[in-house]
Amino acid sequence: MEIKGEVTEIIYKNEVNGYCIAVFETAEESTTIVGYLPFVNKNDTLEVTGKFVEHQEYGRQFKVETFKKVMPETLDSLERYLANGLIKGIGPATAKKIVDTFGKETINVFKLEPERLSQIKGISKDKALEIAQEFVENWELWQLVSYLEKFGLGPQSAQGIYKKLGENAIEKIEADPYVLVELSNKVDFVQIDKMALKIGMEYDNEKRIRSGIKYALLRVTYNGHCAVLYENLVDFARELLGVSEDAIDSSLINMKAKEEIYIEERGNEDWIYLSTYYKAEKNIAEKLIELREYKNINAIENLDRKLKKIEKTQKIELSDKQKEAVKLVNDNNVCVITGGPGTGKTTIIKSIIDIYKEEELKITLCAPTGRAAKRMTEATGEEAKTLHRVLEIGKFASEDEINPDLLVTPIDANVVIIDEASMIDLFLMNYLMKALYSGTKLILVGDENQLPSVGPGNVLKDIIASEKVPVVTLNKIFRQAAKSKIILNSHKVNEGESFIGIKQENEEELLQDFFFIQENNKENIIKQIVSLCTGRLERYGNYDFIKNIQVITPTKKGNLGTKELNQVIQSNVNPFETTKKEKKFGDTIFRQGDRIMQIKNNYDIFWERDGKTNEAGSGVFNGEFGTIIDINEMDKEIVIKFDDDKKAWYSYADLDQIEHAYAITVHKAQRKWVWCCNYANCTSSSYATYKKFAIYCND
């Protein structure tokens, strides 16, 4: 049966899964509704289907099976709806003024004549348009949430999908449900396929087979590959879709004709690419060859003499390998400098900078992430930027848009140095290649044994393996670096040897930079981590969690993933207090004092930097760390102070761009330098990038 009414009170709400118990006022009676109602708030008007049941303890209840949000029908209910705080800029007083002014026309004013809202005192014309747009978007999002919920897709997925589909999202999905697979990385093909079949999609529908093939091709990118062998693709797709090989072949022919895929013949084998991946890979290869073969217009003379001058000025003595690396850079337009931690890569970068600055050549320093760029700046004394910022990708497309032909800003430089090049994925490398002028010197610096990029491709390792680009490999650990057991152990792991472990917690050993704590179960590992994070290390160096300690784990989900560890550490390091403001976002609680990390590039977020210069600007980038200093419920904003003293304001709608940073993944940790690290169930050698304490916990 179906009933219609207004939510007058929320008795219980599970923010994780959306399960809700609420008081529901219909025209006939007041009842209790129970069920999965994500994003349902007090004063919402709903149409719900289900049945009345008798609860053993709480009596008669209406168990909700499906729900749909509808516009309030009375002026009182409309005023309550507008006053519930969902629309930024409208509180109870403003809601009353709007309803009193426009009466039954209120909804149409929001939808069709938003400029009329400026008649209300305190609302400018610009503000009126903003409020109306948020009203419409909020309403359409609600419709999408309730539509997707019955197919097993949660509110977080719905939000991401709406951002990309925009108006009339439901109609677009019904026309082609498989569009969802390409729109959100949170949406799995199998999940969408069940939905599509449920609403009547035929098994042999061309859209279904095409989407299944794309899904198969995307899966191989999870392991760094960009193409799959034809036979393997067909076998996977046939099992996935339950259709004949002929049907798959037919779709492949159509996809090739539409240039959605590319088939490359290698001997007797056919390899299938998504066209975007093939084009990006081809562009990179062609540009590298072009750079390599172009006239070396930025070579300098008397390099040996200049190197001696550098050694004297910097009070250093370059090794033969380091000198070889500098000469390689001078003799070639493109080259790779690779080596593990402590092998002198940073010294080479500084020497190259000094030499070319003396020649008055333009130098651009870049890194794939904000964290790596900051570290490069600190190490060289010269400004380094993220590749996204240098290329200004955000001005032309969203961060996750895959378009090999995307416009980027050319790099006006004679020499471009990229640090942490192992973290560059296929598409970012393609954009970089497009931005370089012929004759520019490109220097890729990185450790080929570090983790590859999160995105597709294993770019640095493949460039080295191609033997088409000059490479110098640094393998000598310098004396100063050799004092660090962190660095020594990283090399041992790369060489397949057992690391030097310190198993006893005595005074002498804890003054060293690496020790090992062996635990055999999850509970004990968590106890060790909490103990280390809450003061146990203070007697050995006055370590502060916010400034000096970082917990690292391989995964986001599961036992000892970042999701679980962040909740545990937050409850111990920054527990609930009545004086601390909080904001629930999905299943996450953001609290004043929380340590957070930006997880997407956002070129629009405004920031100010307090200090002598009173700087201001826009843009916060993936990998930047900060602390929540305020939560403003009235303005629906969270204020974050980043580690470089930027203070930025995040609307509640932008909270999907941050996450807790008490515990981070190994990928996020690369090139983040702190004083003390806890490793939860971590088997990677990436601890070599850390400076003072490495604590390795393994179950």
Side-chain angles (χ1 to χ4, degrees):
M1 67 178 296
E2 181 179 286
I3 60 175
K4 183 178 179 179
E6 182 180 345
V7 177
T8 57
E9 184 181 354
I10 302 290
I11 300 172
Y12 170 80
K13 180 188 277 187
N14 186 318
E15 296 289 345
V16 177
N17 60 18
Y19 185 80
C20 184
I21 303 173
V23 178
F24 197 61
E25 288 286 345
T26 70
E28 292 79 25
E29 63 177 331
S30 176
T31 188
T32 301
I33 59 173
V34 298
Y36 294 96
L37 302 165
F39 289 163
V40 165
N41 295 289
K42 184 180 178 180
N43 301 321
D44 287 338
T45 301
L46 307 177
E47 289 179 354
V48 297
T49 64
K51 60 183 179 181
F52 281 101
V53 297
E54 195 70 27
H55 191 277
Q56 187 175 352
E57 184 174 352
Y58 299 109
R60 184 169 179 261
Q61 299 178 335
F62 189 86
K63 188 176 181 180
V64 178
E65 295 174 357
T66 66
F67 76 97
K68 181 172 72 172
K69 188 176 180 181
V70 297
M71 284 295 180
E73 293 183 340
T74 69
L75 293 182
D76 286 344
S77 61
L78 178 58
E79 182 182 327
R80 289 194 295 271
Y81 170 73
L82 293 175
N84 67 8
L86 290 177
I87 302 171
K88 185 178 177 180
I90 299 181
T94 304
K96 179 174 174 53
K97 290 178 184 177
I98 291 173
V99 174
D100 287 347
T101 302
F102 302 112
K104 295 181 179 181
E105 292 185 78
T106 299
I107 301 300
N108 285 333
V109 169
F110 274 100
K111 289 184 174 181
L112 305 175
E113 301 176 284
E115 65 279 355
R116 290 179 63 189
L117 291 170
S118 62
Q119 296 176 24
I120 306 300
K121 187 177 179 181
I123 300 179
S124 66
K125 287 186 178 181
D126 288 343
K127 190 66 176 178
L129 295 175
E130 288 178 12
I131 290 173
Q133 183 178 355
E134 188 169 350
F135 176 89
V136 172
E137 288 178 353
N138 188 49
W139 177 250
E140 290 195 347
L141 175 59
W142 262 104
Q143 302 305 306
L144 185 62
V145 167
S146 59
Y147 174 78
L148 293 177
E149 186 269 339
K150 58 187 174 186
F151 299 112
L153 295 179
Q156 296 299 323
S157 294
Q159 284 183 312
I161 291 165
Y162 180 77
K163 283 182 181 179
K164 294 174 181 178
L165 284 181
E167 294 181 7
N168 303 316
I170 293 175
E171 289 82 351
K172 294 173 184 176
I173 294 169
E174 288 180 336
D176 181 9
Y178 298 101
V179 71
L180 296 174
V181 181
E182 300 177 27
L183 289 177
S184 175
N185 57 13
K186 297 179 181 179
V187 176
D188 184 72
F189 171 84
V190 177
Q191 193 177 19
I192 297 303
D193 194 42
K194 289 180 181 178
M195 172 178 131
L197 294 171
K198 190 173 180 178
I199 62 176
M201 181 68 70
E202 299 291 334
Y203 266 76
D204 59 354
N205 186 283
E206 173 68 19
K207 292 178 180 177
R208 178 174 183 263
I209 298 174
R210 171 180 164 274
S211 183
I213 291 171
K214 282 191 172 184
Y215 169 70
L217 289 169
L218 285 171
R219 283 203 34 142
V220 305
T221 68
Y222 301 160
N223 297 318
H225 305 296
C226 297
V228 62
L229 193 63
Y230 170 83
E231 290 81 2
N232 294 344
L233 175 64
V234 172
D235 288 345
F236 180 89
R238 189 171 55 193
E239 184 176 347
L240 174 72
L241 300 168
V243 298
S244 68
E245 184 173 337
D246 288 342
I248 295 168
D249 278 336
S250 177
S251 289
L252 286 171
I253 292 170
N254 291 335
M255 292 173 74
K256 182 181 179 183
K258 295 177 181 178
E259 297 185 346
E260 293 178 330
I261 62 170
Y262 183 87
I263 302 176
E264 183 180 66
E265 296 181 14
R266 303 180 192 171
N268 296 321
E269 297 177 338
D270 288 338
W271 288 82
I272 316 297
Y273 288 82
L274 286 169
S275 289
T276 50
Y277 289 73
Y278 178 79
K279 186 178 287 188
E281 198 171 79
K282 186 170 180 287
N283 288 348
I284 294 168
E286 289 177 347
K287 186 66 177 188
L288 286 171
I289 292 171
E290 178 190 324
L291 288 173
R292 184 192 68 186
E293 296 181 351
Y294 198 85
K295 183 180 178 182
N296 188 4
I297 58 177
N298 291 311
I300 59 177
E301 298 179 354
N302 302 316
L303 183 65
D304 289 336
R305 179 174 60 81
K306 295 182 186 298
L307 282 174
K308 289 179 181 178
K309 183 180 179 180
I310 291 292
E311 288 180 310
K312 185 177 180 180
T313 304
Q314 294 187 6
K315 297 180 181 180
I316 59 172
E317 184 178 347
L318 296 172
S319 69
D320 290 341
K321 272 288 185 183
Q322 289 177 315
K323 291 177 182 177
E324 180 188 335
V326 177
K327 291 176 181 178
L328 191 76
V329 169
N330 193 50
D331 294 340
N332 297 274
N333 285 333
V334 57
C335 65
V336 174
I337 301 171
T338 185
T343 56
K345 297 191 298 294
T346 300
T347 300
I348 294 170
I349 293 174
K350 290 172 69 175
S351 299
I352 292 168
I353 293 171
D354 287 349
I355 288 170
Y356 285 101
K357 278 182 68 177
E358 189 173 316
E359 297 294 315
E360 297 184 348
L361 297 177
K362 293 182 180 178
I363 305 168
T364 294
L365 306 182
C366 308
T369 67
R371 208 37 146 171
K374 183 180 180 183
R375 171 59 193 151
M376 195 180 188
T377 299
E378 293 169 349
T380 64
E382 302 288 334
E383 184 184 14
K385 299 178 180 179
T386 65
L387 279 165
H388 283 84
R389 191 164 193 172
V390 170
L391 301 173
E392 297 185 333
I393 295 173
K395 291 186 178 182
F396 304 106
S398 63
E399 181 186 0
D400 55 357
E401 180 174 342
I402 297 176
N403 177 10
D405 299 319
L406 182 72
L407 293 173
V408 295
T409 300
I411 301 176
D412 183 18
N414 303 104
V415 181
V416 177
I417 305 175
I418 312 295
D419 199 12
E420 293 299 325
S422 67
M423 300 169 68
I424 302 176
D425 66 26
L426 182 74
F427 293 104
L428 188 55
M429 188 66 179
N430 175 58
Y431 300 147
L432 171 63
M433 294 294 100
K434 288 166 59 71
L436 296 176
Y437 292 112
S438 299
T440 301
K441 280 189 179 294
L442 173 65
I443 307 156
L444 300 172
V445 184
D447 183 357
E448 64 173 317
N449 292 315
Q450 282 217 355
L451 292 174
S453 65
V454 177
N458 199 344
V459 176
L460 182 66
K461 190 177 278 281
D462 286 348
I463 289 174
I464 294 171
S466 73
E467 298 183 351
K468 301 296 184 183
V469 172
V471 178
V472 63
T473 301
L474 307 172
N475 46 33
K476 177 187 175 182
I477 304 175
F478 284 85
R479 185 171 57 188
Q480 190 64 31
K483 295 178 182 179
S484 168
K485 284 190 171 61
I486 298 175
I487 290 177
L488 289 175
N489 280 325
S490 72
H491 287 271
K492 284 187 173 294
V493 171
N494 286 335
E495 293 162 7
E497 300 178 11
S498 298
F499 60 76
I500 305 168
I502 299 174
K503 300 184 180 181
Q504 303 299 318
E505 248 189 87
N506 58 53
E507 296 286 334
E508 183 181 350
E509 289 170 345
L510 281 176
L511 292 176
Q512 301 185 55
D513 67 356
F514 181 100
F515 62 95
F516 180 85
I517 302 173
Q518 186 167 359
E519 294 291 355
N520 297 317
N521 62 60
K522 169 185 166 182
E523 288 73 23
N524 288 341
I525 291 174
I526 288 176
K527 285 180 183 178
Q528 291 280 9
I529 292 171
V530 170
S531 174
L532 291 164
C533 291
T534 54
R536 184 171 156 199
L537 289 168
E538 288 183 356
R539 66 187 189 274
Y540 303 110
N542 193 31
Y543 296 108
D544 173 76
F545 186 90
I546 298 299
K547 297 178 180 178
N548 310 125
I549 302 175
Q550 181 65 65
V551 178
I552 300 172
T553 187
T555 62
K556 292 176 69 76
K557 298 180 180 179
N559 287 344
L560 299 175
T562 58
K563 194 173 185 66
E564 180 178 18
L565 286 175
N566 273 315
Q567 291 176 347
V568 171
I569 298 170
Q570 182 197 38
S571 66
N572 285 274
V573 174
N574 189 34
F576 168 79
E577 294 179 12
T578 55
T579 56
K580 293 180 182 178
K581 300 176 183 176
E582 293 184 350
K583 168 60 184 175
K584 276 190 176 181
F585 184 76
D587 59 348
T588 300
I589 297 175
F590 291 112
R591 184 176 296 142
Q592 268 184 295
D594 272 345
R595 201 66 180 141
I596 63 91
M597 174 176 56
Q598 179 78 10
I599 59 173
K600 297 180 180 179
N601 291 321
N602 188 321
Y603 295 81
D604 300 320
I605 288 181
F606 175 77
W607 55 261
E608 291 179 348
R609 183 180 285 120
D610 296 330
K612 296 179 181 178
T613 57
N614 290 321
E615 295 179 69
S618 62
V620 181
F621 303 98
N622 186 9
E624 292 197 55
F625 288 70
T627 304
I628 295 175
I629 60 174
D630 190 27
I631 298 175
N632 189 325
E633 187 62 36
M634 179 64 71
D635 294 333
K636 299 189 183 306
E637 288 180 335
I638 286 182
V639 186
I640 298 171
K641 186 175 182 179
F642 287 91
D643 290 353
D644 61 355
D645 293 326
K646 294 197 301 273
K647 188 164 66 174
W649 287 260
Y650 283 67
S651 71
Y652 286 175
D654 292 327
L655 296 185
D656 62 340
Q657 300 180 24
I658 61 172
E659 61 185 31
H660 284 126
Y662 299 111
I664 60 177
T665 63
V666 178
H667 269 103
K668 289 291 186 184
Q670 288 196 154
R671 298 308 290 174
K672 173 175 164 55
W673 283 52
V674 295
W675 288 101
C676 177
C677 306
N678 300 308
Y679 294 86
N681 197 31
C682 183
T683 58
S684 170
S685 63
S686 67
Y687 55 74
T689 61
Y690 286 76
K691 192 173 181 183
K692 183 61 177 172
F693 260 128
I695 302 148
Y696 178 59
C697 303
N698 187 17
D699 65 352

